[in-house]
């Protein structure tokens, strides 16, 4: 449900972009930017593309990758969840760096505040039979690493050789938190209410299942 | 300015780390996470 809610938020924010498309200054700005980008593109050959990277992006990317890698490799499950939380914070910071305040704050509230805490509770309330000497990884771990590395190589090759990056894209206009909230409360109020109803039904269902189990135990 | 390529490469790297975790971890809860 958290994935769905975040997807709906992203769709709403994209529609906020399209709602503003009838403003003439935006069209003028887009046309001006496309013209300037085409002029720059004429001077740069397709093979001479330079991958630009700011220092803040590098720091946040390293933080995120380190957190996720630690979450995958650490022995203690609680430490893994804490490292995962660090990765979530890094992703939220990347969203905020891109100017997507709503998605960044939703990432912090939903993933850092809810999903990570849920994972900690799931680990603490589940009996863990693993001893300190038992191996963390499966015996076939080398094949798993090879498959993951191969998948990354294929994806990286596809990304680097894609022709989509040679096209000139219009700049994305800003969608403020106020605009997204306004859209959620007016145009998309029905999907929002349906989502709330679905979450309430899931909550009641979880309580009913828990009550049945307690009665069975008695 | 960061290009879209950087973000896609970072996301594919995170996907690969997650895939490796699913394939090689023994703890079922951490696999689901």
């Amino acid at each position: 449900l958290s994935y769905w809610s975040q997807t709906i938020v992203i769709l709403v924010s994209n529609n906020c972009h399209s709602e503003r498309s009838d403003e003439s200054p935006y069209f003028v700005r887009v046309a001006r930017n496309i013209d300037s980008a085409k002029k720059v593109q004429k001077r740069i050959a397709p093979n001479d593309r330079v991958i630009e990277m700011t220092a803040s992006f590098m720091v946040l990317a390293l933080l995120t990758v380190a957190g996720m890698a630690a979450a995958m490799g650490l022995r203690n499950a609680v430490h893994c969840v804490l490292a995962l939380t660090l990765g979530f914070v890094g992703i939220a910071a990347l969203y905020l760096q891109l100017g997507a305040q709503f998605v960044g704050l939703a990432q912090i509230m939903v993933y850092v505040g809810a999903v990570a805490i849920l994972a900690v509770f799931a680990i603490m309330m589940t009996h863990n039979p693993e001893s300190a000497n038992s191996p963390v990884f499966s015996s076939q771990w080398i094949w798993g690493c090879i498959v993951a590395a191969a998948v990354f190589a294929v994806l990286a090759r596809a990304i680097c050789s894609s022709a989509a990056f040679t096209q000139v894209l219009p700049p994305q206009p800003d969608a403020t938190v106020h605009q997204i909230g306004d859209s959620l409360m007016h145009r998309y109020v029905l999907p929002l209410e349906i989502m709330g109803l679905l979450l309430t039904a899931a909550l009641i269902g979880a309580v009913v299942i828990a009550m049945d189990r307690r009665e069975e135990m008695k | 300015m960061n290009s879209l390529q950087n973000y896609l490469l970072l996301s594919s790297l995170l996907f690969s780390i997650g895939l490796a975790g699913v394939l090689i971890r023994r703890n079922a809860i951490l696999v689901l996470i």
Side-chain angles (χ1 to χ4, degrees), chain A residues 51-54 57 65 68 72-74 80 84 94 97-98 119 126 135-138 141 144 148 151-152 155-156 159-160 165, chain B residues 1-30 33:
Chain A
I51 296 177
E52 295 174 4
M53 203 181 290
T54 59
F57 173 79
V65 171
M68 294 301 183
M72 190 202 71
L74 289 175
C80 287
L84 188 75
L94 284 169
Q97 188 202 25
L98 283 169
T126 311
V136 179
F137 303 125
S138 65
W141 63 271
V151 168
F152 176 67
L155 288 173
I159 290 166
C160 292
F165 298 110
Chain B
M1 185 68 187
N2 299 300
S3 65
L4 180 63
Q5 251 176 326
N6 295 335
Y7 289 99
L8 288 174
L9 283 171
L10 175 65
S11 55
S12 60
L13 182 58
L14 293 177
F15 178 80
S16 304
I17 290 172
L19 179 65
V22 168
L23 292 175
I24 69 177
R25 290 291 299 213
R26 293 178 74 240
N27 192 328
I29 294 173
L30 291 176
I33 288 171

Side-chain angles (χ1 to χ4, degrees), chain A residues 154-214:
Chain A
V154 170
L155 288 173
R157 172 76 182 157
I159 290 166
C160 292
S161 63
S162 174
F165 298 110
T166 58
Q167 295 171 358
V168 180
L169 297 172
Q172 291 288 318
D174 294 329
T176 61
V177 178
H178 180 264
Q179 286 173 321
I180 295 170
D182 197 45
S183 296
L184 281 174
M185 285 297 119
H186 290 97
R187 190 173 172 185
Y188 298 99
V189 68
L190 187 62
L192 185 74
E193 292 296 328
I194 291 171
M195 202 168 66
L197 195 68
L198 192 67
L199 285 168
T200 311
L203 184 69
I204 293 168
V207 171
V208 168
I209 290 169
M211 284 173 71
D212 284 348
R213 279 189 185 171
R214 187 172 290 179

Side-chain angles (χ1 to χ4, degrees), chain A residues 88-144:
Chain A
F88 286 156
V89 170
I91 292 172
L94 284 169
Y95 282 141
L96 292 173
Q97 188 202 25
L98 283 169
Q101 290 98 350
F102 193 88
V103 182
L105 293 173
Q107 169 84 12
I108 290 172
M109 283 191 287
V110 174
Y111 284 87
V112 179
V115 173
I117 302 299
L118 184 74
V120 169
F121 270 92
I123 287 165
M124 288 184 168
M125 296 180 77
T126 311
H127 176 62
N128 189 5
E130 285 184 16
S131 66
N133 296 325
S134 63
V136 179
F137 303 125
S138 65
S139 56
Q140 304 290 322
W141 63 271
I142 188 76
W143 290 109

Side-chain angles (χ1 to χ4, degrees), chain A residues 20-34:
Chain A
R20 294 182 63 198
S21 61
D22 54 350
E23 294 173 14
S24 56
Y26 170 64
F27 273 129
V28 172
R29 244 186 356 224
V30 169
R32 202 179 297 149
N33 282 326
I34 288 175

